Amino acid sequence: AQTVTQSQPEMSVQEAETVTLSCTYDTSESDYYLFWYKQPPSRQMILVIRQEAYKQQNATENRFSVNFQKAAKSFSLKISDSQLGDAAMYFCAYRSSVTGTASKLTFGTGTRLQVTL
Amino acid sequence: NAGVTQTPKFQVLKTGQSMTLQCAQDMNHNSMYWYRQDPGMGLRLIYYSASEGTTDKGEVPNGYNVSRLNKREFSLRLESAAPSQTSVYFCASRTGQINQPQHFGDGTRLSIL
């Protein structure tokens, strides 16, 4: 079974600065998807960014980018020019590409990001 | 632009009571999922439905049942609620295309006294 580990329960960043959230995972599969979801106090689960394991290029979405290290099984999220609205819980998630797994997500335990003035 | 709709948003039950959480999606998605979120544990899969007419157990199915009523609706039932089932419950759905993510509802906060 796959596992996802987020070793930073809480992080803090000053507005306009850059912060990196860590995620590692364990799998024996070669093809899979990785996601970062944001959960603000409103409780919504919002997709931030996704990475397909067979793509070597790191995904980027505006101020959000990932550092995907397949051999190290590492998938960190970098938030540039942090804004107050980035304050939230961030979850890393893994999804197998194997047929028959119904695309179930395995989540990490989350990192709470605080943004200060 | 509804997406995934969960009802109710909040509920308080007494131990032993039964309850059905409703979930509906208007995106014509094939797969639907129920997760629970507990402090410090992330989201864990309870049950899922890969397609209309099928359901399967996830990581933590004990104490729950599900029904995929049609392609749009996927309900979660607690037959005899226990305090350990106090949690926030999320429904999600996804199209069958391999590269598409899951879309989540806003969650139901359930407290069992």
Side-chain angles (χ1 to χ4, degrees), chain A residues 35-39 43-48 91 93 103-107, chain B residues 1-6 23-25 27 29 32-37 42-45 88-94 101-107:
Chain A
F35 303 87
W36 279 99
Y37 280 90
K38 170 185 177 181
Q39 187 180 43
R43 208 170 64 200
Q44 286 179 293
M45 292 289 288
I46 302 166
L47 178 67
V48 175
F91 291 96
S103 301
K104 296 172 285 185
L105 287 172
T106 300
F107 285 88
Chain B
N1 209 21
V4 180
T5 302
Q6 290 184 234
C23 175
Q25 52 88 11
M27 297 174 283
H29 285 173
M32 298 185 74
Y33 310 82
W34 276 105
Y35 294 89
R36 61 179 287 174
Q37 182 180 20
L43 280 75
R44 293 180 293 167
L45 184 65
V88 179
Y89 292 84
F90 285 94
C91 178
S93 71
R94 183 182 164 275
Q102 292 185 15
H103 297 261
F104 285 82
D106 290 342

Side-chain angles (χ1 to χ4, degrees), chain A residues 31 33 35 95-98 103, chain B residues 94-101:
Chain A
D31 195 16
Y33 293 83
F35 303 87
R95 192 183 86 197
S96 172
S97 295
V98 173
S103 301
Chain B
R94 183 182 164 275
T95 179
Q97 294 178 343
I98 189 63
N99 63 344
Q100 294 302 305

Side-chain angles (χ1 to χ4, degrees), chain B residues 38-57:
Chain B
D38 301 297
M41 299 189 74
L43 280 75
R44 293 180 293 167
L45 184 65
I46 305 171
Y47 269 94
Y48 65 97
S49 171
S51 60
E52 185 179 358
T54 69
T55 61
D56 284 286
K57 294 178 180 180

Side-chain angles (χ1 to χ4, degrees), chain B residues 64-108:
Chain B
Y64 305 95
N65 286 300
V66 290
S67 295
R68 184 74 183 266
L69 305 170
N70 47 55
K71 192 171 186 179
R72 289 187 64 248
E73 299 173 287
F74 188 39
S75 62
L76 178 72
R77 182 161 178 84
L78 288 70
E79 289 290 352
S80 179
S84 61
Q85 294 177 305
T86 293
S87 189
V88 179
Y89 292 84
F90 285 94
C91 178
S93 71
R94 183 182 164 275
T95 179
Q97 294 178 343
I98 189 63
N99 63 344
Q100 294 302 305
Q102 292 185 15
H103 297 261
F104 285 82
D106 290 342
T108 295

Side-chain angles (χ1 to χ4, degrees), chain A residues 29-101:
Chain A
E29 298 171 347
S30 59
D31 195 16
Y32 45 87
Y33 293 83
L34 296 164
F35 303 87
W36 279 99
Y37 280 90
K38 170 185 177 181
Q39 187 180 43
S42 65
R43 208 170 64 200
Q44 286 179 293
M45 292 289 288
I46 302 166
L47 178 67
V48 175
I49 199 166
R50 59 182 163 180
Q51 175 79 40
E52 298 167 29
Y54 66 86
K55 290 186 177 179
Q56 292 187 345
Q57 187 173 6
N58 289 326
T60 62
E61 288 286 345
N62 301 315
R63 298 182 295 107
F64 298 88
S65 61
V66 299
N67 183 4
F68 173 49
Q69 301 289 329
K70 191 172 184 180
K73 298 179 182 175
S74 171
F75 182 60
S76 61
L77 174 70
K78 185 171 83 171
I79 306 174
S80 304
D81 186 24
S82 297
Q83 300 175 359
L84 293 177
D86 294 334
M89 196 77 166
Y90 286 81
F91 291 96
C92 178
Y94 173 101
R95 192 183 86 197
S96 172
S97 295
V98 173
T99 302
T101 61

